[in-house]
Structures are given as C-alpha cells and as structure tokens.
Amino acid sequence: MKLLEIVHPAAKTLVDIARSQDAEVGDGTTTVVILAGEFLKEAKSYVEDGVHPMNIIKSFRLACELATARVKELSTSIEGKDDADKDELLKKCAMTTLSSKLVGGEKEFFADMCVKAVRSLDQDLLDPRMIGVKKVMGGSMTDSFLVDGVAFKKTFSYAGFEQMTKHFKQPKILALNMELELKSEKDNAEVRLSDPTKYQEIVDAEWNIIYEKLDKCVASGANIILSRLAIGDLATQYFADRGLFCAGRVEEQDLLRVTKATGAPVQTTVNNISDAQLGFCEAFEEIQVGNERFNIFRGCPQAKTCTLVLRGGAEQFIEEAARSLNDAIEIVRRAMKNASIVPGGGAIDMELSKYLRDYSRTVAGKSQLFISSYAKALEIIPRQLCDNSGHDATDVLNKLRQKHAGPSTDGANYGVDVNTGGICDTFAKFIWEPSMVKINALNAATEATCLILSIDETVRNPRSEGPEDGAMGGRGGGRGMPMGGRGMGGRGRGMR
C-alpha cells in the first residue's frame, strides 16, 4: 500500500483512509475501503437524480454518529479479568484477525506468539518498535519462534570473527557510531616531505590512531562492541585476541532496539567512556537459525523487548506472514489499551444496519432514504465474507436479517459462519474484534465519502486517458466524434 503511486484524487482518498486505519488501529484496512466504496455506490443514484450532495452528507454524518454510539453500547469490556483470562481473550482477538490471512491455518500458534510478544513489552508504552521481526527462509511456519530480547542477523565479518567469544553472562555493551578501520587515502591525496626519515613516522601515526581507539574500547571494560559503521579486519582480530565480541554495520533499527533495551547510548567517540555509557543485559549468545546466524541479547533491563523470527519455504510467503502478524500485534495492542470488543463475522454490521433502518422510519423527509441507504451499505461486510468463503451471500444475508430482526437482543451476535456457509453466534464462538477497529472504520469511510461527494465537478482531459482517446479530437469545424466536442477555429481540443 505504501508503494502505490495513485494520481486520481478519489482513489488517493481511499488509499489515505486505508493508511490512516492501519496507523490508528493496525487492522481493518480492507473494511474501510469496502465501506467507503459502498457508501458512494448508494449515494450515486441520489446524485444522478439531482439531490444536492450536502443533504446526503448531512444524513450520512448523522448515521455515522448513531452507528458509532451503537457500537459502544454493544461492546463488551474485558477489563477486570486476571492475566490468564485476559490473555485468552486477547488470543481470540488475534485469531479472528489471522483467520482471513495467509497464515490462517496456524492461527492459534501465531496468535499465542503475538500475545506473548505484546505482553513482553512495557505495558504502559506498548511501543511496537520494540518488537523486531526477522525473516529466515527454510523450515515450516511452525518453526517460527519468539526471542525474549533483541536478535539480529550476524553482520558482515572479517577474518578473526570465528575466534571471538560467542557467549557472555552479564556482559557490558558499547554502542558506537564510528568506523574502527584504516581509512584508505583519496586518489589525489598528496604528502610532501622535506626529510625522508619522517616518512615512517607518518605511516606509524595512522596505525597509532587506530590502535589508540581499540585500546580505549578495551579499557572501557566492554565485552560486546557494536557499531553502526564498519569494524575492519584489524579491529576484529584485535578484539578476538582479547576475548571480546564485535559487530560492525549493524542496521540502524536493530542498533536502536539494542540501545533502548540495554541502556547503552550511542557514542561518536571512544574518549572518556565510563560505566554510565555502557549497556547491560543478562546474557548474550550467537545461535544458528537455518542458514543464518543470529546475535541474541536476553534479559535486557532498560526496556522490555522481543523479536519474532519467522520461518517459511518462500520469501514471498514470509513477507506476507510478517504483514499478517503486524495486523494481529496491532489488534492485541489496541485491545489492551481499549479493552472493549464486539462480535465479528459481520454480526456488528448487521446489527447496525437493522438499528439504522429502524431509526430511519422515525425521520421525516429525504433523510429517511439516505439513512436507510447507509444502513443497506453496511451489509457489504457480511456479503463480502460470504463471497470470499464461496457461499451464497443472498441466502446467508436473508437468514441474518431474519435473526437480527427479532424482538429480543439474542440475535444481535449472529454473523457469518464461513466454515458451514450458515450463520452462528460469533460472540459465543470467540470471533471478536476490538470496538476501536469498527468505530475508526465507520468514521474514516464516512468522512472519505463526504469528501468525495462534496466535490462539485471533476474535470478530465480525454487526451491523457489513452492513445485511442487522443485521436478522437480530430481536425475541422462542426461536430466531430462524440469525444471530440465542437471544433473551434479549425483545430479544437476534445471535451467531455
């Protein structure tokens, strides 16, 4: 979605609301676009009949306010439960999100991993940047695992790396943003000497500078030295001889997580390094995962963090799995911050549709039609679920309308059962989603619809729509082709 280059303003608006939904709640991007498209589809016939768009906008905004208020009424809080029960409820929310993803076959395994990942964070901040995701080809989905700490792939290394110590207990960590290698001179560098005996001093000075830096790193008491920039072969061998571990060219995001987790601020110089500028953790080790080696920091005291290591047979599959888990992690985060849930599977959408239809009958004038159309548009969610699962949408929607139209509130939780092609109590079957997802989707889709409806006219240039259109605005006066419009002064621009 981030890579889309869209010029059309209406389409760009739909992409923007999908991005805002992803940034705000992490899931429901498809929902918000489908809802906006259906709202516009319902409004189209009224606009073509000459209804002023402002009347439609006013009614749609009223319907949105009523719908979001109704979602809050129907939501169920999961506050006040013990950690074990709450974890189980969060796992159900994550499983609902993963059901429609590529990893849906192992949704229970990955849902449990997502809940543990979010639980391992600082519960006040719940910073998603402290969850790292690493992808390693090979193995099956269930070979994926969660590391309680920071993990990153072994960086490029020089000779001497294998001689380094790969396991430490309670190590001290030094994080740098500087090079520890000999710099080659520029092609046009020039050194002029009046005394040839001084030549060796200049050569030695360069070596003395690098050795002085390395000595200061060792003198600081650090066991592990990480750098954003290169650590050369001389430094690698130097540290290996002294029982230290080093890694250069560490990715910026990985180094940020290490510094936040261990409390080691990034240094731009090796002068006057004290214990306060070193980080700490309980254990460090290097392990083999598939064809890759990983450096792992466990028991970080400053900030709680974790890393998901995903396995799979193909690169595209692992990428899709990472996107799916990101949605599930965001849902768990939102459910922990806003601990209220609603039944999924289209149940809440059908209940809102029925509620707005009943309300519209109490409204006089054209608004009744507009609110009723808004209610009808909400049925697109269960309809799309039926289409995606290969079931008869008309039959399932008729059953849902009948169930939700009953006088009691028992039918309010009934939604689509994608396994049988019927309907079921989605709340009882633990098909849940955070109420924040639905509220944000309704607000974003309604605002996008109102924005597009408020545009008076759209001006288009037929010549830019394709090579066949460019030839239709021909020469000559009089009436030309249907796309050509009326010729002006012998040579005219085609108008639509």
Side-chain angles (χ1 to χ4, degrees):
M1 191 166 59
K2 294 175 183 176
L3 302 177
L4 292 176
E5 295 182 4
I6 295 175
V7 178
H8 194 286
K12 194 171 185 299
T13 302
L14 296 182
V15 172
D16 288 343
I17 61 171
R19 284 180 178 170
S20 71
Q21 178 79 3
D22 186 51
E24 188 67 22
V25 291
D27 194 24
T29 51
T30 309
T31 299
V32 72
V33 174
I34 288 176
L35 282 174
E38 197 66 14
F39 291 154
L40 288 169
K41 180 181 174 183
E42 291 295 326
K44 181 184 176 185
S45 58
Y46 297 122
V47 174
E48 289 175 344
D49 289 341
V51 177
H52 197 282
M54 290 309 298
N55 293 331
I56 304 173
I57 291 171
K58 183 179 178 181
S59 298
F60 274 20
R61 283 183 173 153
L62 173 61
C64 180
E65 290 176 10
L66 294 168
T68 52
R70 183 64 174 164
V71 170
K72 292 175 183 176
E73 287 177 23
L74 295 172
S75 62
T76 304
S77 176
I78 58 174
E79 286 284 6
K81 300 183 182 293
D82 59 41
D83 288 346
D85 288 344
K86 198 167 185 179
D87 284 354
E88 194 62 29
L89 296 176
L90 293 171
K91 186 177 173 183
K92 302 295 184 187
C93 290
M95 286 171 63
T96 302
T97 302
L98 294 171
S99 296
S100 61
K101 311 291 185 188
L102 194 63
V103 296
E106 300 291 342
K107 61 183 179 182
E108 190 165 348
F109 173 79
F110 284 109
D112 186 51
M113 190 184 292
C114 291
V115 173
K116 287 180 180 177
V118 177
R119 278 293 191 189
S120 68
L121 300 179
D122 187 321
Q123 297 302 294
D124 293 327
L125 298 176
L126 291 177
D127 187 357
R129 294 177 300 174
M130 298 308 290
I131 299 178
V133 179
K134 302 299 171 186
K135 304 150 193 170
V136 183
M137 283 186 61
S140 66
M141 285 191 297
T142 51
D143 291 333
S144 304
F145 60 92
L146 178 69
V147 176
D148 183 19
V150 181
F152 58 84
K153 289 181 185 178
K154 181 180 85 69
T155 58
F156 177 81
S157 58
Y158 291 92
F161 182 83
E162 294 302 334
Q163 301 171 25
M164 287 186 177
T165 307
K166 304 296 175 61
H167 298 270
F168 288 99
K169 292 290 184 183
Q170 297 183 337
K172 295 180 180 179
I173 301 154
L174 174 61
L176 300 173
N177 187 24
M178 59 183 293
E179 292 177 334
L180 293 177
E181 66 175 348
L182 290 168
K183 297 282 288 182
S184 60
E185 297 296 338
K186 295 181 181 179
D187 294 339
N188 59 353
E190 182 179 324
V191 178
R192 294 189 179 186
L193 298 173
S194 58
D195 184 359
T197 59
K198 299 289 186 182
Y199 175 74
Q200 190 59 41
E201 290 182 20
I202 293 173
V203 174
D204 291 341
E206 189 177 20
W207 287 86
N208 290 336
I209 290 171
I210 184 70
Y211 274 118
E212 184 183 359
K213 288 180 180 178
L214 299 180
D215 287 337
K216 288 180 178 178
C217 290
V218 175
S220 68
N223 307 109
I224 299 170
I225 297 164
L226 306 176
S227 179
R228 178 76 181 84
L229 303 176
I231 295 180
D233 51 353
L234 172 67
T236 302
Q237 189 65 56
Y238 186 91
F239 292 138
D241 292 343
R242 288 155 181 77
L244 276 63
F245 177 90
C246 70
R249 296 190 178 97
V250 180
E251 290 187 13
E252 186 175 358
Q253 196 61 34
D254 290 331
L255 191 63
L256 175 66
R257 290 175 56 231
V258 171
T259 55
K260 281 194 171 185
T262 62
V266 177
Q267 304 295 315
T268 56
T269 177
V270 292
N271 295 324
N272 303 320
I273 295 177
S274 64
D275 282 350
Q277 286 145 349
L278 299 177
F280 302 90
C281 68
E282 289 297 322
F284 167 82
E285 63 178 337
E286 183 176 291
I287 62 172
Q288 187 84 20
V289 181
N291 292 328
E292 303 282 354
R293 287 193 194 176
F294 274 81
N295 301 321
I296 297 179
F297 300 80
R298 300 182 189 274
C300 303
Q302 293 295 324
K304 296 179 180 178
T305 181
C306 66
T307 306
L308 296 169
V309 180
L310 301 181
R311 306 294 307 278
E315 185 179 352
Q316 293 87 345
F317 181 85
I318 299 175
E319 291 289 342
E320 183 59 34
R323 285 190 287 270
S324 302
L325 288 184
N326 178 65
D327 287 352
I329 287 169
E330 290 293 335
I331 284 296
V332 173
R333 283 183 63 241
R334 291 298 168 185
M336 290 181 72
K337 285 188 173 183
N338 303 284
S340 61
I341 55 173
V342 291
I348 186 68
D349 305 278
M350 289 301 296
E351 182 61 22
L352 293 177
S353 179
K354 173 235 178 185
Y355 173 74
L356 290 176
R357 274 200 178 95
D358 292 344
Y359 176 83
S360 68
R361 297 189 186 100
T362 65
V363 179
K366 296 177 184 176
S367 293
Q368 181 182 116
L369 294 173
F370 306 149
I371 295 174
S372 180
S373 295
Y374 189 99
K376 181 185 175 185
L378 292 173
E379 292 183 354
I380 188 61
I381 300 299
R383 182 181 294 278
Q384 197 63 47
L385 287 173
C386 294
D387 291 342
N388 290 351
S389 55
H391 300 302
D392 185 358
T394 305
D395 182 48
V396 174
L397 255 66
N398 284 336
K399 291 179 182 176
L400 285 175
R401 288 191 194 105
Q402 181 186 15
K403 199 72 179 175
H404 284 263
S408 67
T409 58
D410 297 339
N413 295 334
Y414 273 76
V416 180
D417 188 344
V418 296
N419 295 321
T420 63
I423 63 174
C424 66
D425 188 335
T426 55
F427 195 86
K429 287 204 171 186
F430 307 110
I431 303 171
W432 302 336
E433 59 181 333
S435 57
M436 182 62 66
V437 174
K438 191 58 63 179
I439 291 172
N440 202 77
L442 287 169
N443 285 326
T446 305
E447 282 304 315
T449 304
C450 294
L451 174 65
I452 295 171
L453 285 175
S454 64
I455 298 171
D456 294 327
E457 288 186 36
T458 303
V459 180
R460 294 190 296 175
N461 178 9
R463 293 176 183 272
S464 67
E465 295 185 1
E468 69 278 1
D469 292 334
M472 300 189 78
R475 300 185 182 187
R479 291 186 181 273
M481 301 292 286
M483 298 282 289
R486 189 182 293 276
M488 297 174 64
R491 182 180 297 185
R493 289 184 179 272
M495 301 287 288
R496 268 200 179 184

